[in-house]
Short mmCIF file of all heavy atoms in Angstrom, two decimals:
data_model
loop_
_atom_site.label_atom_id
_atom_site.label_comp_id
_atom_site.label_asym_id
_atom_site.label_seq_id
_atom_site.Cartn_x
_atom_site.Cartn_y
_atom_site.Cartn_z
N PHE A 274 119.12 -64.59 -6.70
CA PHE A 274 120.08 -64.20 -7.78
C PHE A 274 120.46 -62.85 -7.88
O PHE A 274 119.58 -61.91 -7.91
CB PHE A 274 119.55 -64.83 -9.07
CG PHE A 274 119.15 -66.23 -9.16
CD1 PHE A 274 117.92 -66.58 -8.94
CD2 PHE A 274 120.06 -67.22 -9.54
CE1 PHE A 274 117.46 -67.91 -8.95
CE2 PHE A 274 119.67 -68.52 -9.51
CZ PHE A 274 118.46 -68.80 -9.23
N ASP A 275 121.69 -62.49 -7.82
CA ASP A 275 122.22 -61.09 -8.03
C ASP A 275 121.89 -60.74 -9.46
O ASP A 275 122.23 -61.44 -10.47
CB ASP A 275 123.72 -60.99 -7.83
CG ASP A 275 124.08 -61.26 -6.34
OD1 ASP A 275 123.18 -61.60 -5.60
OD2 ASP A 275 125.26 -61.30 -5.93
N VAL A 276 121.37 -59.54 -9.54
CA VAL A 276 120.95 -59.01 -10.99
C VAL A 276 121.68 -57.70 -11.30
O VAL A 276 121.78 -56.79 -10.53
CB VAL A 276 119.46 -58.75 -10.96
CG1 VAL A 276 118.96 -58.14 -12.27
CG2 VAL A 276 118.65 -59.97 -10.61
N ALA A 277 122.21 -57.74 -12.56
CA ALA A 277 122.88 -56.47 -13.07
C ALA A 277 121.90 -56.03 -14.19
O ALA A 277 121.34 -56.88 -15.01
CB ALA A 277 124.14 -56.81 -13.69
N ALA A 278 121.56 -54.85 -14.23
CA ALA A 278 120.56 -54.23 -15.17
C ALA A 278 121.13 -53.09 -15.88
O ALA A 278 121.95 -52.32 -15.53
CB ALA A 278 119.28 -53.89 -14.40
N TRP A 279 120.55 -52.94 -17.18
CA TRP A 279 120.95 -51.81 -18.08
C TRP A 279 119.79 -51.37 -18.83
O TRP A 279 119.03 -52.24 -19.27
CB TRP A 279 122.04 -52.19 -19.13
CG TRP A 279 122.27 -51.12 -20.08
CD1 TRP A 279 123.09 -49.97 -19.84
CD2 TRP A 279 121.95 -50.96 -21.37
NE1 TRP A 279 123.12 -49.21 -20.91
CE2 TRP A 279 122.39 -49.80 -21.88
CE3 TRP A 279 121.05 -51.68 -22.14
CZ2 TRP A 279 122.03 -49.37 -23.14
CZ3 TRP A 279 120.74 -51.34 -23.50
CH2 TRP A 279 121.25 -50.18 -24.04
N ASN A 280 119.55 -50.11 -18.88
CA ASN A 280 118.40 -49.57 -19.71
C ASN A 280 119.02 -48.43 -20.53
O ASN A 280 119.98 -47.73 -20.20
CB ASN A 280 117.40 -48.91 -18.71
CG ASN A 280 116.05 -48.62 -19.52
OD1 ASN A 280 115.26 -49.48 -19.68
ND2 ASN A 280 115.91 -47.34 -19.77
N LEU A 281 118.40 -48.24 -21.75
CA LEU A 281 118.78 -47.25 -22.69
C LEU A 281 118.91 -45.81 -22.04
O LEU A 281 119.82 -45.05 -22.37
CB LEU A 281 118.03 -47.31 -24.00
CG LEU A 281 118.50 -46.42 -25.09
CD1 LEU A 281 119.86 -46.85 -25.62
CD2 LEU A 281 117.40 -46.53 -26.26
N GLU A 282 117.90 -45.56 -21.27
CA GLU A 282 117.93 -44.26 -20.57
C GLU A 282 118.51 -44.49 -19.23
O GLU A 282 117.82 -45.09 -18.30
CB GLU A 282 116.50 -43.68 -20.48
CG GLU A 282 115.91 -43.30 -21.89
CD GLU A 282 115.32 -44.57 -22.59
OE1 GLU A 282 115.13 -45.61 -21.90
OE2 GLU A 282 115.08 -44.53 -23.80
N PRO A 283 119.67 -43.95 -18.84
CA PRO A 283 120.28 -44.13 -17.54
C PRO A 283 119.48 -43.66 -16.45
O PRO A 283 119.51 -44.36 -15.29
CB PRO A 283 121.60 -43.35 -17.62
CG PRO A 283 121.78 -43.19 -19.03
CD PRO A 283 120.48 -43.09 -19.75
N GLU A 284 118.62 -42.72 -16.56
CA GLU A 284 117.78 -42.16 -15.43
C GLU A 284 116.73 -43.27 -15.03
O GLU A 284 116.46 -43.35 -13.75
CB GLU A 284 117.16 -40.94 -15.82
CG GLU A 284 116.17 -40.93 -17.03
CD GLU A 284 117.02 -40.66 -18.36
OE1 GLU A 284 118.15 -40.79 -18.39
OE2 GLU A 284 116.22 -40.35 -19.31
N THR A 285 116.38 -44.07 -16.00
CA THR A 285 115.44 -45.12 -15.63
C THR A 285 116.07 -46.18 -14.65
O THR A 285 115.54 -46.65 -13.71
CB THR A 285 114.87 -45.93 -16.90
OG1 THR A 285 114.20 -44.88 -17.67
CG2 THR A 285 113.94 -46.93 -16.55
N THR A 286 117.37 -46.53 -15.00
CA THR A 286 118.08 -47.44 -14.11
C THR A 286 118.31 -46.79 -12.74
O THR A 286 118.14 -47.56 -11.72
CB THR A 286 119.52 -47.69 -14.69
OG1 THR A 286 119.35 -48.18 -16.12
CG2 THR A 286 120.28 -48.74 -13.97
N ASP A 287 118.67 -45.57 -12.65
CA ASP A 287 118.84 -44.92 -11.46
C ASP A 287 117.62 -44.87 -10.55
O ASP A 287 117.67 -45.15 -9.31
CB ASP A 287 119.39 -43.50 -11.67
CG ASP A 287 120.76 -43.43 -12.32
OD1 ASP A 287 121.51 -44.31 -12.16
OD2 ASP A 287 121.01 -42.33 -12.89
N GLN A 288 116.52 -44.63 -11.18
CA GLN A 288 115.24 -44.60 -10.51
C GLN A 288 114.94 -45.97 -9.93
O GLN A 288 114.44 -46.11 -8.86
CB GLN A 288 114.16 -44.11 -11.41
CG GLN A 288 112.84 -43.98 -10.85
CD GLN A 288 111.72 -43.65 -11.85
OE1 GLN A 288 111.58 -44.36 -12.83
NE2 GLN A 288 110.91 -42.63 -11.55
N PHE A 289 115.13 -46.99 -10.87
CA PHE A 289 114.87 -48.31 -10.36
C PHE A 289 115.65 -48.77 -9.17
O PHE A 289 115.17 -49.27 -8.21
CB PHE A 289 115.08 -49.32 -11.60
CG PHE A 289 115.07 -50.74 -11.17
CD1 PHE A 289 113.86 -51.34 -10.81
CD2 PHE A 289 116.11 -51.58 -11.27
CE1 PHE A 289 113.71 -52.65 -10.54
CE2 PHE A 289 115.96 -52.94 -11.05
CZ PHE A 289 114.78 -53.48 -10.65
N LEU A 290 116.91 -48.39 -9.19
CA LEU A 290 117.75 -48.63 -8.04
C LEU A 290 117.38 -47.95 -6.79
O LEU A 290 117.27 -48.48 -5.64
CB LEU A 290 119.27 -48.48 -8.32
CG LEU A 290 119.79 -49.27 -9.43
CD1 LEU A 290 121.27 -48.85 -9.78
CD2 LEU A 290 119.79 -50.78 -9.05
N SER A 291 117.01 -46.67 -6.92
CA SER A 291 116.68 -45.89 -5.69
C SER A 291 115.32 -46.37 -5.16
O SER A 291 115.15 -46.15 -3.90
CB SER A 291 116.50 -44.34 -6.22
OG SER A 291 115.43 -44.19 -7.10
N GLN A 292 114.44 -46.88 -6.06
CA GLN A 292 113.17 -47.26 -5.42
C GLN A 292 113.28 -48.74 -4.85
O GLN A 292 112.39 -49.17 -4.19
CB GLN A 292 112.17 -47.49 -6.62
CG GLN A 292 111.71 -46.06 -7.15
CD GLN A 292 110.87 -46.26 -8.51
OE1 GLN A 292 110.89 -47.23 -9.05
NE2 GLN A 292 110.19 -45.12 -8.72
N ASN A 293 114.42 -49.36 -5.04
CA ASN A 293 114.61 -50.73 -4.34
C ASN A 293 115.99 -50.84 -3.61
O ASN A 293 116.80 -51.71 -4.03
CB ASN A 293 114.61 -51.73 -5.53
CG ASN A 293 113.28 -51.82 -6.27
OD1 ASN A 293 112.27 -52.45 -5.68
ND2 ASN A 293 113.15 -51.11 -7.34
N PRO A 294 116.06 -50.08 -2.57
CA PRO A 294 117.34 -50.10 -1.86
C PRO A 294 117.47 -51.40 -1.08
O PRO A 294 116.65 -52.11 -0.69
CB PRO A 294 117.22 -48.89 -0.82
CG PRO A 294 115.71 -48.79 -0.64
CD PRO A 294 115.14 -49.11 -2.00
N GLY A 295 118.75 -51.80 -0.86
CA GLY A 295 119.11 -52.95 -0.16
C GLY A 295 118.89 -54.26 -0.84
O GLY A 295 119.23 -55.33 -0.37
N LYS A 296 118.57 -54.29 -2.09
CA LYS A 296 118.42 -55.49 -2.92
C LYS A 296 119.67 -55.77 -3.64
O LYS A 296 120.55 -54.90 -3.82
CB LYS A 296 117.20 -55.41 -3.69
CG LYS A 296 115.88 -55.21 -3.04
CD LYS A 296 114.72 -55.30 -3.97
CE LYS A 296 113.41 -55.24 -3.30
NZ LYS A 296 113.12 -56.38 -2.47
N LYS A 297 119.79 -57.00 -4.05
CA LYS A 297 121.02 -57.43 -4.80
C LYS A 297 120.94 -57.04 -6.32
O LYS A 297 120.71 -57.88 -7.21
CB LYS A 297 121.09 -58.98 -4.71
CG LYS A 297 121.34 -59.43 -3.24
CD LYS A 297 121.57 -60.95 -3.14
CE LYS A 297 120.43 -61.77 -3.49
NZ LYS A 297 119.30 -61.54 -2.50
N LEU A 298 120.88 -55.78 -6.51
CA LEU A 298 120.73 -55.18 -7.82
C LEU A 298 121.88 -54.28 -8.10
O LEU A 298 122.37 -53.46 -7.25
CB LEU A 298 119.42 -54.41 -7.95
CG LEU A 298 118.08 -55.13 -7.56
CD1 LEU A 298 117.00 -54.19 -7.50
CD2 LEU A 298 117.74 -56.24 -8.73
N ARG A 299 122.32 -54.43 -9.36
CA ARG A 299 123.39 -53.52 -9.80
C ARG A 299 123.03 -52.75 -11.08
O ARG A 299 122.60 -53.49 -12.06
CB ARG A 299 124.70 -54.22 -10.05
CG ARG A 299 125.78 -53.41 -10.64
CD ARG A 299 127.08 -54.24 -11.02
NE ARG A 299 127.59 -55.06 -9.97
CZ ARG A 299 128.67 -55.77 -10.16
NH1 ARG A 299 129.31 -55.81 -11.23
NH2 ARG A 299 129.07 -56.62 -9.13
N GLY A 300 123.17 -51.47 -11.10
CA GLY A 300 122.89 -50.70 -12.38
C GLY A 300 124.17 -50.55 -13.16
O GLY A 300 125.20 -50.37 -12.52
N THR A 301 124.03 -50.65 -14.46
CA THR A 301 125.20 -50.40 -15.34
C THR A 301 124.85 -49.34 -16.32
O THR A 301 123.65 -49.09 -16.64
CB THR A 301 125.58 -51.72 -16.08
OG1 THR A 301 124.52 -52.21 -16.84
CG2 THR A 301 125.93 -52.83 -15.08
N LYS A 302 125.94 -48.60 -16.72
CA LYS A 302 125.68 -47.47 -17.59
C LYS A 302 125.87 -47.79 -19.08
O LYS A 302 125.61 -46.96 -19.93
CB LYS A 302 126.69 -46.33 -17.25
CG LYS A 302 126.55 -45.88 -15.80
CD LYS A 302 125.16 -45.24 -15.50
CE LYS A 302 125.13 -44.85 -14.07
NZ LYS A 302 123.78 -44.18 -13.73
N SER A 303 126.40 -48.91 -19.42
CA SER A 303 126.56 -49.31 -20.77
C SER A 303 126.45 -50.84 -21.03
O SER A 303 126.59 -51.66 -19.99
CB SER A 303 127.95 -48.84 -21.29
OG SER A 303 128.94 -49.51 -20.58
N LEU A 304 126.34 -51.32 -22.24
CA LEU A 304 126.33 -52.70 -22.42
C LEU A 304 127.64 -53.33 -22.07
O LEU A 304 127.65 -54.48 -21.45
CB LEU A 304 125.97 -53.04 -23.87
CG LEU A 304 124.41 -52.83 -24.27
CD1 LEU A 304 124.22 -53.01 -25.82
CD2 LEU A 304 123.64 -53.78 -23.48
N PRO A 305 128.79 -52.77 -22.43
CA PRO A 305 130.16 -53.30 -21.95
C PRO A 305 130.22 -53.47 -20.57
O PRO A 305 130.63 -54.48 -19.95
CB PRO A 305 131.16 -52.36 -22.44
CG PRO A 305 130.54 -51.72 -23.68
CD PRO A 305 129.06 -51.60 -23.39
N GLU A 306 129.69 -52.52 -19.78
CA GLU A 306 129.70 -52.64 -18.30
C GLU A 306 128.76 -53.71 -17.80
O GLU A 306 129.07 -54.48 -16.87
CB GLU A 306 129.24 -51.28 -17.65
CG GLU A 306 129.36 -51.21 -16.11
CD GLU A 306 128.95 -49.95 -15.54
OE1 GLU A 306 128.86 -48.88 -16.23
OE2 GLU A 306 128.67 -50.00 -14.29
N LEU A 307 127.57 -53.91 -18.40
CA LEU A 307 126.74 -54.95 -18.16
C LEU A 307 127.39 -56.33 -18.22
O LEU A 307 127.31 -57.19 -17.36
CB LEU A 307 125.41 -54.93 -18.97
CG LEU A 307 124.41 -56.09 -18.70
CD1 LEU A 307 123.82 -56.00 -17.41
CD2 LEU A 307 123.36 -56.00 -19.87
N VAL A 308 127.99 -56.52 -19.42
CA VAL A 308 128.63 -57.81 -19.79
C VAL A 308 129.75 -58.03 -18.74
O VAL A 308 129.85 -59.25 -18.27
CB VAL A 308 129.08 -57.72 -21.15
CG1 VAL A 308 130.05 -58.99 -21.47
CG2 VAL A 308 127.96 -57.75 -22.20
N ALA A 309 130.56 -57.06 -18.45
CA ALA A 309 131.65 -57.23 -17.51
C ALA A 309 131.12 -57.54 -16.09
O ALA A 309 131.86 -58.19 -15.33
CB ALA A 309 132.59 -55.91 -17.42
#
Side-chain angles (χ1 to χ4, degrees):
F274 302 92
D275 294 1
V276 176
W279 176 78
N280 193 80
L281 187 61
E282 296 81 17
E284 58 272 18
T285 300
T286 306
D287 294 339
Q288 181 188 54
F289 175 63
L290 295 176
S291 67
Q292 291 173 345
N293 295 281
K296 295 186 179 294
K297 300 184 292 293
L298 301 169
R299 178 190 302 185
T301 61
K302 301 299 184 182
S303 66
L304 284 176
E306 185 181 342
L307 173 71
V308 170

